[in-house]
Amino acid sequence: MPLIHKTMDGEEAHNLAIKMAKYGLIPKIKKLENEKILNVRAFDKQFANPIGCAAGFDKNAEAIEGLFKIGFGFVEIGTVTPLAQEGNPKPRVFRLSEDRAVINRYGFNGHGHEEVKKRVEQFWINRKNDEEIIGVNIGKNKTQQDAISDYLAGLRLFADRADYITINISSPNTPGLRNLQNKEQLENLIDPLLKMRNQLGKKIPLIIKIAPDLNEEEMKDIAKVLIRNNKKIDGLIVSNTTISRPSYLKSEYKNESGGLSGRPLKKASTEALKKMYELTNGKVTLIGVGGIESGHDALEKIKSGATLIQLYTSMVFEGPIIVNKIKRELIELLRKEGYSNVSEAIGLDAKKN
């Protein structure tokens, strides 16, 4: 990717990557031998492999089919808001190349529910097999004071157009959004969503996406909300980007505001993942995100409690080949350590504590 990095800023390169995936201008990756070792079951679905494309890359569902062609086991689109919005002023994406990281402050820029709905429906028409699993990540518009109504609108629209829905309450780029992680506010958000799901008669899995910047008490409160009797949430994504800035960052962009992702996020997100696995007693399906660049990183997330994992920033630096690279390395590690299936490794390190 060096040439693109020299000639385009972060957002221009992102837009080009979406167009290339959309129009099939990326090489189709052949299936790996022994890939069945990566088959995993979650949310009553069979995933061909546990490696997914994180939300934020394909915000508007423009490149779903292309992303499956490069080897992802699932794709999460969004964040999608009810109304189209521009997001924050540019520039708003910064590559911290020396740190293998990105800072973004996009602010839920996107085409809105109706445009994205059309593209998702087209994907379902063209869908090749049941293992092409998509999630829709939903959020609120920046000026919307009644956050719950926006999330309810997203659930209502996409409940029968997705394999799961993620409730994004942890982006640092929408003012006040992270307050929804507070125990009382989280209950006030989740309860109407669960009620609507029941009214719709859909078994669509609901997943909450949290920040890596929570303290232990906040994580305990979230865990209690997630595993309430008769109000259990299906999954948890750990984690979104961080607002912290490790002291060792070298890039000239290290002090830009926004969410930091990539290699510097790995440690904090993995520690939070392990903690949430313990606090939920392994009863909630976890998706690990943050700093995954290799098969070793992937296995570390899985052993820390993740059933599934997601990438984004590593693609910025390695391109689409990173997906198969991680799959290949993960298969080798699993076989070397004597596992017959990736699911056997879930939570092993968290259980030791």
Side-chain angles (χ1 to χ4, degrees):
M1 310 298 282
L3 180 61
I4 289 176
H5 288 189
K6 287 178 181 176
T7 58
M8 295 183 177
D9 69 21
E11 186 163 353
E12 289 169 340
H14 182 187
N15 291 335
L16 176 63
I18 290 293
K19 285 185 171 66
M20 290 176 71
K22 178 179 180 179
Y23 294 112
L25 302 176
I26 47 180
K28 183 177 179 180
I29 305 297
K30 291 182 180 179
K31 269 209 164 189
L32 299 173
E33 287 184 33
N34 307 310
E35 196 166 324
K36 283 192 174 180
I37 197 172
L38 298 181
N39 291 172
V40 65
R41 194 156 185 85
F43 311 124
D44 290 324
K45 302 280 183 182
Q46 181 74 10
F47 289 69
N49 70 74
I51 303 166
C53 181
F57 181 75
D58 189 7
K59 291 174 176 289
N60 297 302
E62 297 176 274
I64 301 173
E65 291 184 44
L67 291 169
F68 279 117
K69 286 177 182 176
I70 64 172
F72 280 115
F74 65 108
V75 173
E76 185 172 317
I77 63 158
T79 297
V80 190
T81 56
L83 302 176
Q85 58 181 26
E86 290 295 321
N88 292 321
K90 299 177 183 179
R92 53 193 180 181
V93 184
F94 306 90
R95 287 187 299 262
L96 286 67
S97 299
E98 304 95 318
D99 305 298
R100 299 284 287 193
V102 168
I103 290 173
N104 92 79
R105 49 173 182 263
Y106 270 125
F108 289 172
N109 56 309
H111 299 169
H113 278 180
E114 288 304 317
E115 282 299 311
V116 173
K117 180 190 79 168
K118 293 172 189 174
R119 297 189 190 115
V120 171
E121 287 175 337
Q122 190 59 48
F123 163 76
W124 283 102
I125 292 171
N126 299 334
R127 193 187 198 195
K128 301 294 188 296
N129 61 67
D130 290 343
E131 289 184 348
E132 290 187 345
I133 292 171
I134 65 163
V136 177
N137 183 304
I138 59 174
K140 66 175 280 295
N141 281 111
K142 184 176 182 178
T143 58
Q144 173 62 276
Q145 298 302 308
D146 180 11
I148 295 172
S149 67
D150 275 7
Y151 287 105
L152 288 172
L155 174 59
R156 187 183 300 112
L157 189 68
F158 291 106
D160 60 355
R161 296 178 173 91
D163 292 298
Y164 70 84
I165 288 179
T166 296
I167 315 301
N168 189 350
I169 54 172
S170 52
S171 168
N173 301 316
T174 295
L177 190 74
R178 286 190 168 191
N179 294 337
L180 294 171
Q181 295 173 118
N182 168 279
K183 185 172 184 286
E184 185 178 348
Q185 290 198 50
L186 185 57
E187 288 178 345
N188 291 339
L189 172 63
I190 287 175
D191 289 352
L193 288 167
L194 291 172
K195 183 178 179 182
M196 171 172 281
R197 181 176 69 174
N198 292 337
Q199 290 172 343
L200 292 170
K202 304 290 181 185
K203 291 185 178 180
I204 181 80
L206 294 180
I207 299 172
I208 300 293
K209 186 168 186 175
I210 63 170
D213 308 305
L214 301 164
N215 61 41
E216 188 165 345
E217 286 305 308
E218 290 168 326
M219 285 193 277
K220 284 180 179 177
D221 284 344
I222 288 172
K224 288 174 185 174
V225 174
L226 297 182
I227 57 176
R228 292 174 297 163
N229 287 335
N230 301 317
K231 291 184 177 181
K232 184 172 171 286
I233 287 294
D234 303 280
L236 184 69
I237 298 179
V238 187
S239 69
N240 213 317
T241 56
T242 180
I243 55 174
S244 70
R245 297 292 184 267
S247 59
Y248 57 77
L249 293 179
K250 299 174 183 176
S251 171
E252 63 181 305
Y253 300 117
K254 63 184 179 182
N255 293 319
E256 290 288 345
S257 63
L260 174 72
S261 62
R263 189 178 290 174
L265 177 59
K266 185 179 128 180
K267 184 180 178 184
S269 61
T270 303
E271 287 174 354
L273 175 69
K274 195 179 293 186
K275 191 67 183 176
M276 291 309 299
Y277 184 83
E278 294 169 8
L279 292 171
T280 57
N281 302 311
K283 294 178 180 176
V284 175
T285 298
L286 303 183
I287 302 177
V289 196
I292 299 172
E293 303 177 77
S294 67
H296 180 273
D297 295 336
L299 187 55
E300 183 182 15
K301 294 284 191 194
I302 291 162
K303 287 184 174 180
S304 296
T307 298
L308 304 168
I309 59 175
Q310 291 178 326
L311 319 174
Y312 180 171
T313 303
S314 56
M315 283 200 295
V316 171
F317 296 100
E318 298 291 335
I321 60 170
I322 188 75
V323 183
N324 244 26
K325 171 183 175 285
I326 291 173
K327 283 160 67 175
R328 189 180 300 109
E329 292 173 356
L330 181 56
I331 289 169
E332 290 173 1
L333 284 168
L334 290 168
R335 296 187 66 174
K336 183 179 178 182
E337 296 187 21
Y339 299 109
S340 59
N341 184 266
V342 66
S343 59
E344 296 166 13
I346 297 169
L348 287 185
D349 285 351
K351 290 170 186 173
K352 292 176 185 175
N353 293 348

